[in-house]
Amino acid sequence: MTTSTTMSRSTGYRFSWIGMIGFAIILFWAIIAFLAPHIIPYPVGEIVDEDYFGPMSSKLLLGSDYLGRDMLSRIIMGARYTVGISLAAVCLACFSGAALGMAAAVIGGWFDTVLSRFLDALNSIPSKLSGLVVAAAVGSSLPVLIIMLGVIYIPGAYRFARSLAVNVNTMDYITVARTRGEGIPYVVFSEILPNIIGPLLADFGIRFVFIVLLLSGLSFLGLGVQPPYADWGALVHENIGGLPFGAPAVIVPSLAIASLTISVNLLIDNLPKKIRDRSA
Amino acid sequence: MANLVEIRDLKVEAKTDSGRRIEIIKGIDLDIAPGEIVALIGESGSGKTTIALTIMGYARPGCRISGGSVTVAGKDMVALSERQRANVRGLEVSYVPQSAAAAFNPSKRIIDQVIEVTRIHQLMPPAEAREKAVSLFRALSLPDPDGIGNRYPHQVSGGQLQRLAAAMALISDPKLVIFDEPTTALDVTTQIEVLRAFKAVMKKSGIAGVYVSHDLAVVAQIADRIVVLRGGEVQEVAGTNEILADAKHPYTRELLSAFEPKPRGESIVAALERKPLLQVNGLIAGYGPVQPDGLPLVKAVQEASLSLERGRNLGIIGESGCGKSTLARSIAGILPASAGQLTLDGRELAPSARQRSREQLRELQIVFQHADTSLNPAKSIEEILGRPLKFYHGMKGKARDTRIDELMDMVRLPKALRSRTPAELSGGQKQRVNFARALAAEPKLIVCDEITSALDTVVAAAVIDLLKEMQRELSLSYIFISHDLSVVEAICDEIVVMYNGRKVEEITPAISKVPQHPYSKLLFSSVPKLDPSWLDRLERDPELVKTYVQG
Amino acid sequence: MRNYVLGLITNRLGSAALTLLIVSFAVFFATAMLPGDTATILLGQAATPEAVAGLRAAMHLDEPAFFRFARWLFGLLQGDLGTSYVNNVPVAELIGARFVNTMRLAGIVTLFAVPLSLTLGITAAMFRGSVYDRIVTVLTIGVISVPEFMIATSAVLLFSVYLKWLPALSFASDVTSFWQVLKIYAMPVITLTFVVSAQMIRMTRAAVIDTINTPYVEAAILKGASRRRAVLVHALPNAVGPIANAIALSLSYLVGGVIIVETIFNYPGIAKLMVDGVSTRDLPLIQSCAIIFCIGYLALITFADIVAILANPRVR
């Protein structure tokens, strides 16, 4: 995809420009999310414009929303919810998925069979559907959203980690470790994990994108983050009435989501590579 | 007489992981006369297959012909367009791959693939092509020449597929056929039939050939001229007899010397008391669901018994599927035996490694064939060697560091490699680390499962020398599993021949080198010799071949 | 051999049935987690304890959860989808016509998306690394990286707001002319086709590239076959199984897409019905819709698996 590359001779890693751009945008949103309350120009709830769906202006950089509130401030605060909830959920999904997956691959037997069968079945419920069912049953408070998003993606993370670990588990060095008399924790953490950590991190990124998209989709349906809080998906939901006028209040939150998810994909496709052939 | 192929100053570049280009063929000149068979010989990475493929104007993905010319029958394959090259491929130059099993399309009938060349180049009507294919099948002495083409590739044995691939290459009456290690994946007893078929067809039709191989003895049977390659450069070119009798280049001589039989030498531990170290009694092991009699459905090893004395070595030899690796894995407790007893140094061994004591596990170490998969790529050599020291001997800090240095010294690895990962080592170095890890446990017995099979001849010979040296110094015993008779003869005091899961014979080379059992006779006589007339003079009992050789 | 194939297929079907059982179990218990008492919620806080107890008994809410699950599942098997909490109408009646609408939408999308994706995916794999391939790759990554509603809103902005070709966000139920039908279906179909095709193109491309990188395709090229022939005659027949899987998996994105698209375009399908059911907490309706979607998904995957089995000459 890229021809322009930068070489960092001192570390022996290669990182392409496209990957760096992706990384920069992710970093940008992370900082925005972290500093949000300190950098918003207007309080999020305050009506600052007499007009609703106001255009971009020097006073309101991103225009105003359906009540005449400042969109820039709402986008900045929305970053907190979109990034924060997704990050918490993806950690839950990937840590438990990877741990279970590696354990299943190494232990094998009926533990593996039962767990795989059960989680694969859960995996065959489309993610938005699970979201709807849970939202209907337990509502959508922030903790419920985090746990729900995490649990929905555990089967996927499990399956991915398991398939990687199963491949590594057939290697002779695992057999050597086992005939040496090593226990399961050593085999999992010392022999398998270091070999699959790279793909697991990439999977973490991909699953983060999935979760951002699912959260935004649910919020867009009005079933995700509830007022007075609003993530980017909820901002689109609130302001959908501005669509026929092409108001920035509908377009900008969508662009914010796209910039985040596309950046993560760009970074994953262009991760820094270690230069293997220095001596060759 | 004009040459059929003229290669001048050929250069090929390959792209590395990080996008750098390196030259893998560094300016080669080569001529092939019409009807001549030229062998390209060298280790893995010598560029022999890459050169052969350039004759078809082809470079594998990631590679590129960067300079020079390859003239085939007056056309420069480097300069031609892709479409013009396609007109030469299959028609004037054709290709027999190393693994026909992978090179046949699994979803199409064999006959359709064999005659596809005639369709692509519009040579003859399909019915005629079919007839020609059948006559080629007959010439290559394939069984059921009329019906075999209607099968799918997975329904035919490896040796037969290799001959079918040759038929596919020959159907267009090409001027040149490239054989890319066509018998390497086959068992020795099968190899003979395939080699004979190739040789007969090539001699009869007067087609020129390029025979790519790492095995000098195989090449000696079929080639007129031999080109010795190393690191993308030609080391020596000469007629076959000349190379065998009077090699000029030191590297060629090294290759040849790897073939010289190296006697085991007098066992140095003979003076020690002769005490049995390992005893195996009536061992049965296999795969699949357990049957009512408590034994597995597929019995890969049936009632094997053997005994090994301290300081002596036992070789287990046989062809693929004979159960030798299963036997090794059962001894090591990786695949628990279903029946039979194992005794190590007077104490009984549990069938499964999990039930054995840490001390028993330490005393019996196993070393695998593929160093690539036996060494954790995420760990440094230091960590790999340090773990058994800590695990078995509780060594830490300085003591462990010193011991790692000693081990690396023992297996002749430079200390600079300590912090490297396995990927940065050569194949031979990796196998030394693999072996050093077993030594770190300070075992009494090391089971070596085909440990030299993946190595080039010269490197393998050096590893065998290392094993012998370690034995002298540490009074170890080895169980050496291999399909390669010469390797086993070089190091073992006792040789067990296995066939179809059973031990058919036990030979003590010091007493008699002549096998008695018909299968052993067949197996021993099938190992190619450096003598070019060996294949033509070899006589095999057709009944024996029929009984023991599949395909 | 024939029996072996039948065995494999039976095995797949059995496995799908087991999965469905686990899925319905999960759906039932997710909805049964509802905090608070369903009867109280239905009757409101002001209801008398007797009325609540009566309703509980009538709805079997006083039985152990497992019995309720068994009762519900047994009902499902007999086609009894329960009664809506909200308007006391049998769920089957609510779903009926809307189910047909959703299937029609999905069918039209499939009709567009599958040929489009196969063509783009296979050609991109054939000319791997070319400018064409890169453009296809970048576009598909772009589409799968953004939420479905963004595709839908972009379509509205483009076709209704700027070009003014199509009506925005409205669905007239009384359509008279073919032209109107076209206008109504255009945007939902365009949106869903984008969403589904991006996935399908990527997966088809990957499946074909996997088979192109095999020794037998190299062998075909060395026989003098053109690139086209090598891909179409040698790689493709072996990619049928993986491609069938890719199509099935991508079509399952229809489920997620349909939920958004029906809501945004006010399309009277079961996804819209379900979303409305979520806001009114109409659990029997939600359970039934969820099960219908899961059955659709499983049917697709199982069908693809069976195609893959039949396409493999090793078992045929």
Side-chain angles (χ1 to χ4, degrees):
Chain A
M1 182 176 271
T2 169
T3 47
S4 59
T5 57
T6 56
M7 300 278 270
S8 162
R9 292 234 170 261
S10 54
T11 55
Y13 278 89
R14 189 177 66 103
F15 196 8
S16 77
W17 284 113
I18 295 192
M20 281 190 199
I21 293 171
F23 182 70
I25 296 175
I26 296 165
L27 200 65
F28 168 76
W29 283 124
I31 292 170
I32 294 280
F34 189 71
L35 297 177
H38 307 286
I39 54 174
I40 45 173
Y42 303 95
V44 277
E46 196 172 289
I47 294 170
V48 291
D49 193 5
E50 304 95 70
D51 203 7
Y52 54 89
F53 294 131
M56 298 186 188
S57 66
S58 55
K59 186 179 161 227
L60 304 173
L61 285 177
L62 296 177
S64 60
D65 76 348
Y66 74 115
L67 292 176
R69 294 175 293 192
D70 176 38
M71 262 328 274
L72 179 61
S73 306
R74 293 187 69 77
I75 294 271
I76 290 174
M77 280 308 275
R80 283 212 134 179
Y81 299 105
T82 297
V83 175
I85 293 174
S86 305
L87 201 61
V90 76
C91 287
L92 172 66
C94 286
F95 291 148
S96 22
L100 286 174
M102 287 190 292
V106 174
I107 296 170
W110 68 264
F111 176 78
D112 181 27
T113 314
V114 171
L115 195 61
S116 295
R117 170 61 73 182
F118 178 69
L119 290 177
D120 276 353
L122 289 193
N123 210 11
S124 69
I125 306 177
S127 54
K128 267 206 195 66
L129 214 56
S130 317
L132 290 188
V133 170
V134 175
V138 250
S140 32
S141 63
L142 294 186
V144 166
L145 272 178
I146 291 174
I147 293 171
M148 174 187 87
L149 292 169
V151 170
I152 287 177
Y153 284 102
I154 285 178
Y158 164 85
R159 196 182 223 194
F160 186 76
R162 183 183 170 276
S163 72
L164 289 174
V166 162
N167 282 337
V168 174
N169 200 38
T170 61
M171 293 288 160
D172 289 334
Y173 55 84
I174 303 294
T175 314
V176 168
R178 290 185 151 191
T179 50
R180 194 189 300 140
E182 303 280 8
I184 285 172
Y186 176 85
V187 172
V188 166
F189 291 107
S190 216
E191 299 281 351
I192 292 183
L193 186 60
N195 286 295
I196 62 173
I197 189 76
L200 282 186
L201 286 177
D203 182 62
F204 183 90
I206 292 169
R207 233 156 273 285
F208 176 76
V209 171
F210 287 162
I211 290 179
V212 169
L213 293 180
L214 178 57
L215 172 67
S216 308
L218 287 175
S219 291
F220 172 78
L221 294 173
L223 304 169
V225 178
Q226 300 296 322
Y229 314 120
D231 67 334
W232 292 337
L235 289 179
V236 181
H237 172 71
E238 298 179 336
N239 296 308
I240 195 72
L243 190 58
F245 326 119
V250 203
I251 298 167
V252 176
S254 300
L255 291 180
I257 297 169
S259 72
L260 179 64
T261 50
I262 292 178
S263 304
V264 175
N265 271 329
L266 288 182
L267 178 64
I268 291 166
D269 283 352
N270 299 282
L271 281 176
K273 278 191 192 127
K274 189 168 186 184
I275 297 168
R276 279 268 171 77
D277 51 29
R278 269 177 301 172
S279 52
Chain B
M1 185 169 63
N3 285 321
L4 177 63
V5 176
E6 286 186 1
I7 298 180
R8 292 290 172 268
D9 197 28
L10 173 71
K11 288 177 179 145
V12 178
E13 278 181 355
K15 205 172 176 179
T16 65
D17 286 352
S18 63
R20 236 149 36 87
R21 297 196 159 274
I22 49 168
E23 203 161 75
I24 53 169
I25 304 297
K26 299 159 184 159
I28 296 267
D29 296 319
L30 178 67
D31 292 329
I32 302 169
E36 184 190 31
I37 298 182
V38 174
L40 301 182
I41 192 150
E43 305 176 342
S44 49
S46 62
K48 50 192 194 298
T49 298
T50 310
I51 295 171
L53 287 174
T54 62
I55 300 175
M56 308 185 86
Y58 184 78
R60 291 236 158 97
C63 298
R64 173 175 89 85
I65 300 173
S66 54
S69 64
V70 180
T71 313
V72 179
K75 290 180 281 265
D76 181 5
M77 297 300 288
V78 179
L80 291 185
S81 73
E82 190 59 25
R83 187 173 295 245
Q84 289 166 318
R85 284 176 190 159
N87 288 335
V88 178
R89 290 176 189 157
L91 187 61
E92 292 179 56
V93 187
S94 57
Y95 180 73
V96 179
Q98 171 166 10
S99 167
F104 270 101
N105 187 335
S107 68
K108 292 168 74 96
R109 287 183 198 280
I110 289 167
I111 188 77
D112 295 330
Q113 302 191 51
V114 170
I115 65 167
E116 192 189 2
V117 176
T118 65
R119 239 179 100 161
I120 292 171
H121 299 287
Q122 292 163 347
L123 297 177
M124 57 186 94
E128 195 187 326
R130 260 169 235 270
E131 266 172 47
K132 187 163 182 193
V134 171
S135 68
L136 275 170
F137 295 164
R138 202 163 277 131
L140 287 160
S141 43
L142 280 157
D144 183 22
D146 294 300
I148 195 165
N150 289 325
R151 299 193 213 163
Y152 284 97
H154 69 274
Q155 297 167 324
V156 178
S157 77
Q160 289 167 0
L161 268 185
Q162 215 64 48
R163 277 178 277 174
L164 290 163
M168 185 157 77
L170 291 166
I171 196 155
S172 60
D173 292 321
K175 296 180 179 136
L176 176 78
V177 180
I178 296 167
F179 292 94
D180 187 4
E181 303 245 18
T183 62
T184 306
L186 304 177
D187 281 325
V188 277
T189 52
T190 318
Q191 175 174 265
I192 304 280
E193 298 307 306
V194 176
L195 268 181
R196 276 193 170 152
F198 285 176
K199 192 171 180 178
V201 173
M202 296 294 284
K203 288 282 173 256
K204 205 173 130 208
S205 58
I207 297 172
V210 171
Y211 200 101
V212 176
S213 181
H214 69 284
D215 191 335
L216 255 178
V218 166
V219 155
Q221 310 308 318
I222 198 161
D224 302 315
R225 210 147 54 90
I226 294 178
V227 180
V228 181
L229 293 162
R230 189 185 202 184
E233 284 169 307
V234 174
Q235 308 293 313
E236 185 167 7
V237 187
T240 303
N241 288 320
E242 210 178 315
I243 288 261
L244 296 184
D246 183 25
K248 299 281 188 300
H249 198 280
Y251 177 65
T252 318
R253 280 195 224 128
E254 220 180 315
L255 277 179
L256 286 167
S257 74
F259 273 90
E260 280 162 24
K262 292 185 200 69
R264 162 84 173 89
E266 201 36 50
S267 177
I268 22 77
V269 207
L272 282 164
E273 82 263 56
R274 286 277 180 91
K275 204 170 93 184
L277 177 63
L278 177 81
Q279 279 183 303
V280 178
N281 251 325
L283 184 138
I284 301 176
Y287 307 88
V290 178
Q291 302 298 297
D293 58 358
L295 299 176
L297 180 65
V298 183
K299 297 181 196 69
V301 178
Q302 309 197 36
E303 309 232 4
S305 299
L306 27 105
S307 155
L308 172 64
E309 285 167 352
R310 184 185 282 269
R312 285 170 74 86
N313 300 332
L314 176 74
I316 302 176
I317 188 160
E319 295 181 297
S320 52
C322 73
K324 57 187 190 303
S325 276
T326 309
L327 179 55
R329 295 173 93 83
S330 300
I331 292 173
I334 299 164
L335 180 82
S338 309
Q341 287 95 43
L342 286 164
T343 323
L344 180 69
D345 217 9
R347 280 173 304 162
E348 188 164 340
L349 279 179
S352 164
R354 276 187 214 178
Q355 298 148 359
R356 294 182 188 172
S357 72
R358 190 175 280 204
E359 198 56 17
Q360 287 177 324
L361 292 172
R362 183 186 66 73
E363 287 173 353
L364 194 165
Q365 293 284 310
I366 183 162
V367 180
F368 292 109
Q369 171 177 7
H370 298 287
D372 282 324
T373 58
S374 311
L375 303 177
N376 192 332
K379 297 193 164 197
S380 66
I381 305 309
E382 191 172 24
E383 290 172 294
I384 290 170
L385 295 181
R387 181 64 193 176
L389 295 176
K390 176 162 184 272
F391 189 81
Y392 289 127
H393 308 294
M395 282 181 157
K396 277 185 204 131
K398 192 109 181 99
R400 184 164 59 165
D401 277 354
T402 322
R403 184 66 187 148
I404 293 172
D405 279 343
E406 281 173 21
L407 284 168
M408 292 185 68
D409 230 31
M410 270 195 225
V411 297
R412 310 256 180 288
L413 282 172
K415 287 196 184 59
L417 299 181
R418 262 187 80 136
S419 56
R420 299 279 179 89
T421 58
E424 297 171 284
L425 270 56
S426 73
Q429 287 173 330
K430 277 185 258 189
Q431 202 54 287
R432 282 164 197 267
V433 175
N434 202 3
F435 189 64
R437 175 174 54 190
L439 288 180
E442 294 173 23
K444 291 177 178 163
L445 172 64
I446 301 183
V447 178
C448 304
D449 189 359
E450 300 261 15
I451 61 169
T452 58
S453 305
L455 301 176
D456 295 311
T457 14
V458 175
V459 183
V463 169
I464 295 291
D465 285 343
L466 175 71
L467 258 61
K468 286 183 181 172
E469 196 187 316
M470 289 298 108
Q471 176 158 46
R472 273 196 295 279
E473 284 173 19
L474 306 169
S475 67
L476 288 162
S477 289
Y478 301 123
I479 290 183
F480 210 91
I481 286 139
S482 182
H483 69 281
D484 187 341
L485 187 63
S486 60
V487 172
V488 173
E489 273 182 336
I491 195 164
C492 293
D493 306 285
E494 234 102 20
I495 299 175
V496 165
V497 182
M498 284 187 72
Y499 177 76
N500 206 5
R502 289 180 193 281
K503 170 174 150 184
V504 295
E505 188 169 7
E506 187 162 343
I507 302 163
T508 310
I511 300 168
S512 162
K513 281 198 166 185
V514 186
Q516 299 303 311
H517 189 276
Y519 174 70
S520 319
K521 282 184 187 166
L522 184 73
L523 179 66
F524 282 37
S525 71
S526 300
V527 179
K529 305 252 177 341
L530 269 180
D531 170 9
S533 61
W534 168 78
L535 184 64
D536 297 330
R537 284 189 291 128
L538 178 69
E539 278 169 30
R540 302 210 294 178
D541 180 353
E543 277 307 306
L544 265 183
V545 174
K546 215 171 163 184
T547 317
Y548 292 109
V549 182
Q550 283 96 32
Chain C
M1 227 37 187
R2 204 180 177 78
N3 282 335
Y4 180 62
V5 174
L6 280 179
L8 278 180
I9 292 175
T10 319
N11 192 355
R12 281 276 166 265
L13 292 174
S15 145
L18 181 61
T19 306
L20 195 58
L21 185 71
I22 298 176
V23 165
S24 47
F25 187 79
V27 168
F28 182 84
F29 279 93
T31 46
M33 283 192 311
L34 182 67
D37 188 85
T38 315
T40 320
I41 291 171
L42 285 178
L43 295 175
Q45 293 297 330
T48 61
E50 291 77 33
V52 171
L55 187 64
R56 283 178 62 87
M59 291 174 70
H60 306 285
L61 286 178
D62 42 4
E63 290 177 19
F66 189 78
F67 283 103
R68 282 189 284 140
F69 173 63
R71 188 184 298 280
W72 173 71
L73 193 67
F74 196 67
L76 273 188
L77 289 177
Q78 292 178 319
D80 174 15
L81 303 180
T83 309
S84 162
Y85 284 175
V86 176
N87 39 16
N88 245 340
V89 179
V91 171
E93 224 169 87
L94 285 174
I95 287 176
R98 289 178 159 240
F99 179 72
V100 178
N101 283 343
T102 297
M103 288 307 284
R104 188 182 299 134
L105 180 60
I108 297 173
V109 170
T110 309
L111 229 52
F112 280 104
V114 171
L116 176 80
S117 309
L118 286 182
T119 318
L120 288 178
I122 292 168
T123 47
M126 231 162 120
F127 304 107
R128 190 185 177 188
S130 66
V131 179
Y132 168 73
D133 177 36
R134 284 180 197 194
I135 292 173
V136 170
T137 307
V138 168
L139 286 181
T140 51
I141 287 190
V143 173
I144 59 163
S145 305
V146 302
E148 294 100 340
F149 65 75
M150 189 170 164
I151 313 245
T153 49
S154 309
V156 171
L157 279 178
L158 181 66
F159 293 114
S160 313
V161 179
Y162 295 117
L163 297 174
K164 302 196 195 309
W165 288 354
L166 299 165
L169 310 185
S170 64
F171 189 91
S173 49
D174 53 333
V175 281
T176 46
S177 73
F178 172 75
W179 198 230
Q180 266 174 302
V181 174
L182 204 66
K183 277 188 165 181
I184 285 157
Y185 276 99
M187 269 196 297
V189 169
I190 290 172
T191 307
L192 280 176
T193 305
F194 257 84
V195 170
V196 174
S197 301
Q199 282 295 339
M200 218 182 281
I201 292 168
R202 268 174 81 81
M203 294 171 85
T204 307
R205 178 179 174 274
V208 177
I209 281 178
D210 269 355
T211 45
I212 286 182
N213 287 340
T214 51
Y216 57 80
V217 173
E218 179 178 75
I221 288 175
L222 291 179
K223 274 198 252 179
S226 62
R227 198 166 175 72
R228 205 181 137 88
R229 186 182 170 89
V231 172
L232 295 183
V233 177
H234 288 274
L236 266 193
N238 291 293
V240 168
I243 289 179
N245 247 314
I247 292 176
L249 277 174
S250 321
L251 284 178
S252 68
Y253 278 79
L254 262 177
V255 175
V258 129
I259 292 175
I260 298 286
V261 165
E262 288 190 1
T263 311
I264 209 170
F265 294 110
N266 237 341
Y267 182 92
I270 41 174
K272 175 88 174 79
L273 184 69
M274 187 178 173
V275 173
D276 295 342
V278 172
S279 14
T280 53
R281 292 202 154 175
D282 194 348
L283 293 185
L285 178 65
I286 292 165
Q287 286 167 346
S288 303
C289 292
I291 293 294
I292 288 174
F293 279 122
C294 288
I295 289 176
Y297 176 89
L298 274 174
L300 275 173
I301 298 292
T302 310
F303 180 70
D305 277 349
I306 291 173
V307 169
I309 290 171
L310 294 177
N312 185 350
R314 279 165 197 268
V315 302
R316 190 167 53 201

